[in-house]
Each structure stands twice: as structure tokens, then as C-alpha cells.
């Protein structure tokens, strides 16, 4: 500080070159987030080592609200000059926020989307991850697509035993949400139905032989048909069935047989 005083004809002169200081109760840049309900004006103060009335000289200029898409900003600038003509360094505070009253948009085509369940072991079906599918078809006025938060219920990997609805929710940065329901398909239960048994006599060995006719439905083709007798697989009687429907196993000698049908997902009956 450079304060020099002297007496001349009973008058005092003060030489002072220290600038006043402006203080404010917030940072110079403040993010108010989304849709603030109230914007509190920054509180500025001023101090000076000589001017006791410096606070009353403080001037604060309130800028207009600027708009850039969803973004909003407003700046306050404070200035002050003391009695000796020393001007303080101006101090500015800028508030920024997002004004967003609309939820994300999800393309309508997802409303009718059916998705096959994932297979996680023999005849074990689980919910697939649908979040990326939905994210790619979502948009928001104020949040970039990559910043959208997408969740689903039930969660990916959760086991299901029947066709189920999965609710996928899209949330933007302002917590506005939209959702879509996607149907996850579990195949119909595999059914094996015996249609008939027919015995015939053959001339070669004089013994009765039988033909079993059955029908398979449900599950997912192709099907593997295996035949066992006394717990011993009869590979020559096994066969592949490319579509649901009827099949026959012929030339069976007298005895008890077990017929097993297994579909492509490992479901067996």
C-alpha cells in the first residue's frame, strides 16, 4: 500500500493506488443442472483499504438469459471504483443449465417387436439384452444418444419359462423417461404323442415285429429322435426330423422301448 499524507494549509491529501477487491459467494462458473425451479442471484461484496463506503459504490450488471438449443446461460458482472479512482478487477459469474421438458423418443417399430429368448443350457431360456437395440432406436432433444441411460425389467440373463414382456426404459440427463414393451418369445412346450402301434409277422424269422407311429409338436426343429431298449440306445433306429409332424419307427422286435425327442434347444420329451 502506498499511503502518503502531508499537511498544507490545514488540508490533508491521501495518495492511494491499491485497487478494491470484489468477492462473490459462488464459483465463477456454476452448473444448475436441469430445469432449476429458482435461480438465485450471486451475492457480490467489495472491500477497500481506504474507502469505507466502497460497498455502496459496487455495481452489478445482470446479463440477459442466452439460449442455445436446450442450453441456457446467464452472466452477472460486478465492477467498483473507489474514491481515489482505483478500479477493481471486474468479477463475472456465469450460470448454465438445461431446459428440457420432453422425454426421449423411441421409434414406434419397437412396439411390435418380438425377440427370441436366449438359450443358456439345455432347455434353459433367459431374457436377452435389449438395451442396445432400444438405444439405437431412441433419441432425445437435449441428451446425446450415447448418453441416454437404458435399463430393462426383467434384467438380461434372467431365466424365464414362458413368453414374457420386457419393459425397456430410456432416461435422459434430466430424468425424463420413456419406455417400450418388447415380447420375448419362449418356444411352445415340446409334445410327443403316440398315434398307433401296429404288429406284423415277417416271413424271415417268423416273429412279430411292430411299428410305432408318433407325432411331435412344439419346441424348435430340427428334432433328434432316439430309441432305447433296456436302456441301450438303438442307433440304427434313431433319426432326424426336420419339421414338426408324424414319424414312424418300424421293424421293432417284441419288447419295451423308450422313444425320446430332443429339439434344437435341448428340450426333451
Amino acid at each position: 500500500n502506498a499511503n502518503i499524507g502531508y499537511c498544507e494549509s490545514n488540508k490533508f491529501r491521501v495518495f492511494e493506488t491499491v485497487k478494491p477487491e470484489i468477492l462473490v459467494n459462488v464459483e465463477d462458473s456454476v452448473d444448475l443442472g436441469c430445469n432449476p425451479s429458482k435461480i438465485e442471484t450471486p451475492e457480490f461484496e467489495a472491500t477497500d483499504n481506504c474507502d469505507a463506503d466502497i460497498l455502496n459504490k459496487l455495481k452489478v450488471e445482470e446479463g440477459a438469459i442466452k439460449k442455445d438449443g436446450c442450453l441456457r446461460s446467464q452472466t452477472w458482472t460486478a465492477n467498483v471504483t473507489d474514491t481515489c479512482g482505483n478500479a477493481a478487477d471486474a468479477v463475472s459469474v456465469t450460470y448454465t443449465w438445461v431446459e428440457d421438458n420432453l422425454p426421449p423418443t423411441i421409434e414406434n417399430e419397437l412396439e411390435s417387436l418380438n425377440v427370441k429368448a436366449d438359450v443358456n443350457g439345455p432347455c434353459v431360456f433367459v431374457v436377452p439384452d435389449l438395451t442396445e437395440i432400444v438405444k439405437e432406436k431412441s433419441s432425445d432433444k437435449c441428451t446425446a444418444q450415447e448418453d441416454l441411460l437404458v435399463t430393462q425389467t426383467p434384467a438380461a440373463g434372467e431365466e424365464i419359462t414362458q413368453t414374457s414382456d420386457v419393459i425397456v426404459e430410456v432416461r435422459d440427463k434430466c430424468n425424463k423417461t420413456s419406455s417400450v414393451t418388447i415380447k420375448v418369445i419362449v418356444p411352445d412346450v415340446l409334445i410327443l404323442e403316440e398315434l398307433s402301434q401296429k404288429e406284423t409277422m415277417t416271413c424271415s424269422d417268423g416273429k412279430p415285429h411292430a411299428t410305432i407311429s408318433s407325432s411331435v409338436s412344439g419346441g424348435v426343429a430340427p428334432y433328434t429322435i432316439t430309441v432305447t431298449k433296456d436302456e441301450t440306445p438303438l442307433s440304427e433306429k434313431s433319426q432326424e426330423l426336420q419339421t414338426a409332424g408324424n414319424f414312424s419307427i418300424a421293424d421293432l422286435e417284441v419288447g419295451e422301448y423308450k422313444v425320446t425327442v430332443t429339439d434344437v434347444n435341448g428340450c426333451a420329451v
Side-chain angles (χ1 to χ4, degrees):
N1 298 345
N3 298 325
I4 303 172
Y6 62 92
C7 184
E8 178 185 334
S9 302
N10 296 323
K11 294 182 180 180
F12 286 91
R13 295 181 181 179
V14 177
F15 295 90
E16 195 259 325
T17 60
V18 178
K19 296 185 290 187
E21 183 180 4
I22 298 174
L23 306 174
V24 66
N25 66 330
V26 294
E27 300 292 332
D28 59 2
S29 180
V30 180
D31 185 356
L32 300 179
C34 291
N35 305 319
S37 58
K38 186 178 181 181
I39 298 177
E40 299 285 352
T41 302
E43 296 178 6
F44 293 91
E45 295 182 353
T47 62
D48 188 77
N49 62 341
C50 290
D51 192 341
D53 194 41
I54 192 67
L55 189 58
N56 291 326
K57 295 181 175 70
L58 181 67
K59 296 180 180 179
V60 179
E61 179 184 353
E62 180 177 298
I65 296 176
K66 296 180 180 180
K67 299 181 180 181
D68 182 11
C70 298
L71 299 178
R72 303 288 185 270
S73 66
Q74 187 172 17
T75 299
W76 290 260
T77 302
N79 291 280
V80 68
T81 301
D82 65 16
T83 302
C84 293
N86 299 308
D89 292 330
V91 173
S92 294
V93 172
T94 299
Y95 286 173
T96 58
W97 67 95
V98 174
E99 197 168 287
D100 179 14
N101 297 307
L102 296 175
T105 299
I106 303 174
E107 293 186 16
N108 292 334
E109 64 186 75
L110 293 182
E111 292 287 351
S112 58
L113 182 63
N114 294 335
V115 177
K116 292 180 180 179
D118 286 345
V119 181
N120 188 31
C123 211
V124 177
F125 301 98
V126 297
V127 176
D129 187 348
L130 301 173
T131 57
E132 286 303 316
I133 296 175
V134 174
K135 187 177 231 182
E136 290 175 359
K137 300 293 183 180
S138 300
S139 60
D140 187 77
K141 177 183 176 183
C142 300
T143 302
Q145 186 182 70
E146 60 268 21
D147 294 328
L148 293 171
L149 177 63
V150 185
T151 58
Q152 65 178 67
T153 305
E158 187 169 325
E159 186 173 340
I160 51 177
T161 59
Q162 60 185 5
T163 296
S164 304
D165 287 338
V166 176
I167 299 174
V168 185
E169 181 185 83
V170 181
R171 183 180 300 270
D172 66 18
K173 284 188 172 182
C174 289
N175 281 326
K176 303 293 182 182
T177 61
S178 297
S179 63
V180 63
T181 300
I182 296 177
K183 195 174 293 295
V184 176
I185 307 298
V186 171
D188 293 336
V189 175
L190 189 61
I191 298 174
L192 176 63
E193 181 182 1
E194 183 179 331
L195 299 178
S196 66
Q197 294 186 24
K198 180 181 179 182
E199 286 190 8
T200 58
M201 295 293 293
T202 61
C203 298
S204 59
D205 57 10
K207 296 178 181 179
H209 289 248
T211 297
I212 299 175
S213 296
S214 300
S215 175
V216 61
S217 59
V220 179
Y223 307 93
T224 299
I225 300 168
T226 57
V227 181
T228 58
K229 181 181 182 183
D230 300 327
E231 299 186 358
T232 300
L234 303 179
S235 57
E236 71 277 7
K237 300 299 182 183
S238 297
Q239 55 183 283
E240 294 286 335
L241 192 64
Q242 296 303 314
T243 59
N246 299 339
F247 65 92
S248 296
I249 303 170
D251 201 24
L252 297 173
E253 296 181 354
V254 174
E256 292 188 2
Y257 297 86
K258 180 181 179 180
V259 178
T260 302
V261 177
T262 305
D263 74 358
V264 72
N265 291 322
C267 298
V269 64

